[in-house]
Amino acid sequence: MASTATRESQTPITLGHFKVSLALSAALLSLSFVPRVQENATLQLSFWGAIFSLLVWQGWLLLEAHKRGESFGFTVLLRPQHYVQAMVQCSVYVYWGFFWRPVYDHAWLILAQILFAYAFDMLLSWSRRRNYTLGFGPVPIIFSINLFLWFRDDWFYLQFLMLALGFLGKEYVRWNREGRNVHIFNPSAFALGLFSVILISTGTTGLTWGQEIASTLTLAPNIYTYLFLVGLIVMYFFSITLVAGMAAITLLGFSALYSATTGVPYFLDSEIPAAVFLGLHLLITDPSTSPRTPMGKLLFGILYGLGVFGLYTLLGMLGAPTFYDKLLCVPLLNLSVIAIDNTVRSINSDSLTNVWKQSWFGGRGNLAHMGIWIVVFIAMSALGKMDGRHTGDSVPFWEQACAEGRSNSCARVEQLYATYCNDNAGWACNELGAFYREGQYTDANEQMALTYFSQACELKFQAGCVNLLDDTSVTRSEPKELDLRLMLREGGLNLMQLPSGELYARACEHNWAFACDRSGSFL
Amino acid sequence: MSKKQSRAATDVKTNSSDTISTAPAKPAVPGRTVGFVIMSVLTVFVAVFMQVQSRNLGNTDTSAAYTEELEGFRSDLWYLPDDELLGFVAIPAGSFTMGSNPALDRMAYENERWSRTQRQGQPLLPLYYIAKFETTRAQFAAFVADSGIAQQAIANSESLPGDLPVTQVNWPDALAYTRWLDEQLRASSDTPAELKAFLESGARVTLPNEAEWEKAARGEDGRVFPWGSLPNTNMANIASDRPLPVGSIECDECAYGLSDMSGNVWELTRSVLKDYPFSDEIDRDNLNAEQLYVMRGGSYSDQANNARAAVRGAVDPGVRNDTIGFRVVITQ
């Protein structure tokens, strides 16, 4: 060994392909000096921490490789499911960000995550002593994660950790499926699911933009139609229509059933929340972590729909943010893939298991599925179940339903008040305070009531100030113009410049009785 | 594994004669155990870290609280003044002159006129108690540390003396402090019996209304300033660049011996700004209007005309700035 060591010490260490990973680290370092990153010290430190970790890892790998006389390289493989998916996701960012600017502000951070992801994935492959498959693989993973969850600047180091766990999960959590050793979980869904559980259990959702992301997709007009159209591209190329379509149809079906039974919509302001609609097109459709048989895909889609439907209520009952519904069930479904495949195989009927496959559609099964999905979407749009006004957008509707004691509607009223209060609508803060002071539909809580009355008062909503002075009764008044501009944004319009007459007309359409009288005075 | 990698991955081994063999061999691919353990440890670390973050998010900021002794104040009783009535002064029941008579006060503003036919009014007030000093930073910090409310009032200025009047508080913040102090005084065994009896008779700690504030400032004789009818820059912190610790300027001539009723910081009241005659009724008829709340006494940055006892400043309830503070009353 001594002579070996001598030989090694005489051989200079060459960087070889490590130049690529070093270049990625250098690019990440240069990004840490852009103004967007420099404006927050913790954010910049997060970058430097990530770079330091990558450099230490590279240094260790380089020495190990030198000691062993190994070198690692690349295998270039450009898979359409990566770059097509990435382009579709990118287009969603562009469209959504046009109507919600924080998305564009986040662009530098997404770029940084892509650099980090490539470097991390590369080093992980080399640590496993194999060439790195260079392609677009990390891009859709990063895009997918950031379409649902990103950490605020003060906690951005957790975003790098989330990515790291996603890639580690892809590498280390595997099973044998149909004779091949493959990863169990969709990498982005694994990271999102894991962090969702941690965020829910620690009550730290506030460290992320998750709630805002889920609720601002609808700021982009006709977002459902947009997602539907770009979803068709993915469906066409990768035959995921059965999964996405069945998930949507299941959700729509159960929503309709719930609505017919209770008289109120299941989801607050849509038949399928826009973020769920996005998720069923772009989050659950990874071919390597979903079933391969048509019947399996069908079951997978149905189970996703059921999972979101059930989790929405479950999370609400636990007092957790409901936007996690679409994230939590994906890892569970990934785990059930083999069971689904086995179930399908156990069905001893070729005609049934192949019913969606070849014979009925002349070998063009996916196009036929897409055709059905297009018809379903057009029908739902025509019925006003997608873009456009939704029954649940109306606060008075929910107030009336609450007064009538309809299922879950008082909780929805409270949720709506809280959302609008958070948006600085003084009227909503005052109503929320009244909700807690009166204790008619929830447990009375004077401390909470005072908190919300204070907020209303600060927002110059005079009834809130009166309620602070007199704690023996509740004073209410009608929403002011600014309140209406904040509360009637469904469909995504910015109503700040809307003429008063049109604003009151819009409020009248949303069942605000006082606004109907007032809109007439602007004619 | 690629051909290139296979070629590169050579196993170097030493035989008995110390010759080196470089026969190509497949490198040992590391097992997944170590990686899986690292991943699991990382996950647990994140979970624990976020649990700690969760506690930090939910915790009240007690670092804002003052802990040192302040001369003249009781650190064991929320830094209230160290006297028999914890800094409260009784204002006896009776009427007083409210508003301004321009014939006697050339600096009077129009909104100080009582009515079309009457320059000044004579409201009758029952007994009440008013704080001798403006509410201090130390007092407010005790409230913040206990409740977690209104932390911004004392954030980033921990080095400032605790006996400065608190500023950067808005109207709901001030009211929240009074509610909190009310609870403390009712619950404490150290509360003077006189105050406790008054509280138990139905009184409460709150902000003064305009009349309570004005009577406490000018007494019953209608003087223009707390000390008399002529301006005197030695009697009040006005026309300066900063507030002074409460009670810095002695004023034995002032009505009821209160400090800083003129200047130092504007003092919020619980009254909405509306034309006289004064009424303490809560205005429920103008809920759609954006009402302003009256503040009294002027601040260190004002001139004498704004530091008169009858001056009526007003502010949005959400406004916080460096010139606005408050003092409390115990009233029915």
Side-chain angles (χ1 to χ4, degrees), chain A residues 221-262:
Chain A
N222 302 312
I223 186 68
Y224 288 94
T225 307
Y226 185 83
L227 292 174
F228 166 74
L229 291 173
V230 296
L232 288 180
I233 299 171
V234 186
M235 288 175 175
Y236 178 78
F237 281 108
F238 310 118
S239 303
I240 51 100
T241 319
L242 280 177
V243 177
M246 280 316 296
I249 290 167
T250 304
L251 272 171
L252 287 167
F254 275 85
S255 286
L257 192 64
Y258 180 90
S259 188
T261 311
T262 62

Side-chain angles (χ1 to χ4, degrees), chain A residues 183-195:
Chain A
H183 55 277
I184 302 174
F185 298 108
N186 173 336
S188 51
F190 176 71
L192 288 168
L194 196 61
F195 268 70

Side-chain angles (χ1 to χ4, degrees), chain B residues 36-246:
Chain B
F36 190 82
V37 168
I38 290 172
M39 190 189 81
S40 305
V41 168
L42 203 57
T43 306
V44 171
F45 167 77
V46 170
V48 171
F49 176 79
M50 286 170 78
Q51 185 62 41
V52 173
Q53 291 295 314
S54 164
R55 285 189 196 140
N56 290 343
L57 286 175
N59 278 354
T60 299
D61 181 12
T62 53
S63 64
Y66 286 81
T67 51
E68 77 276 23
E69 295 293 325
L70 273 177
E71 192 181 341
F73 296 91
R74 290 190 60 174
S75 58
D76 60 329
L77 286 176
W78 323 289
Y79 286 95
L80 291 177
D82 186 10
D83 67 22
E84 280 183 16
L85 288 180
L86 297 178
F88 284 96
V89 174
I91 310 295
S95 61
F96 76 105
T97 301
M98 189 172 185
S100 291
N101 180 350
L104 302 174
D105 177 3
R106 299 240 171 140
M107 294 182 279
Y109 293 112
E110 182 58 30
N111 69 357
E112 295 162 23
R113 187 182 178 90
W114 192 251
S115 69
R116 284 190 176 183
T117 57
Q118 201 178 334
R119 288 170 169 165
Q120 291 175 296
Q122 291 287 324
L124 179 65
L125 298 180
L127 166 73
Y128 64 98
Y129 293 80
I130 191 165
K132 183 177 181 182
F133 303 125
E134 290 159 339
T135 302
T136 65
R137 292 180 54 78
Q139 289 162 6
F140 200 81
F143 155 66
V144 171
D146 191 44
S147 67
I149 298 172
Q151 297 185 13
Q152 65 274 32
I154 44 178
N156 305 320
S157 54
E158 292 81 358
S159 58
L160 292 174
D163 53 1
L164 276 176
V166 68
T167 55
Q168 292 292 344
V169 285
N170 64 21
W171 192 80
D173 293 340
L175 269 184
Y177 172 81
T178 66
R179 278 193 301 270
W180 173 82
L181 185 60
D182 186 287
E183 286 173 18
Q184 308 309 314
L185 289 174
R186 285 177 198 278
S188 172
S189 56
D190 290 329
T191 302
E194 185 179 339
L195 294 185
K196 208 152 199 173
F198 193 54
L199 284 167
E200 285 169 359
S201 71
R204 61 181 176 141
V205 181
T206 185
L207 293 174
N209 65 29
E210 275 200 272
E212 288 164 344
W213 192 95
E214 190 167 327
K215 180 179 180 182
R218 71 196 307 190
E220 298 173 6
D221 55 10
R223 61 182 80 169
V224 176
F225 294 96
W227 52 84
S229 289
L230 294 175
N232 184 342
T233 52
N234 293 324
M235 305 296 280
N237 177 25
I238 54 173
S240 73
D241 60 356
R242 72 193 65 175
L244 294 175
V246 298

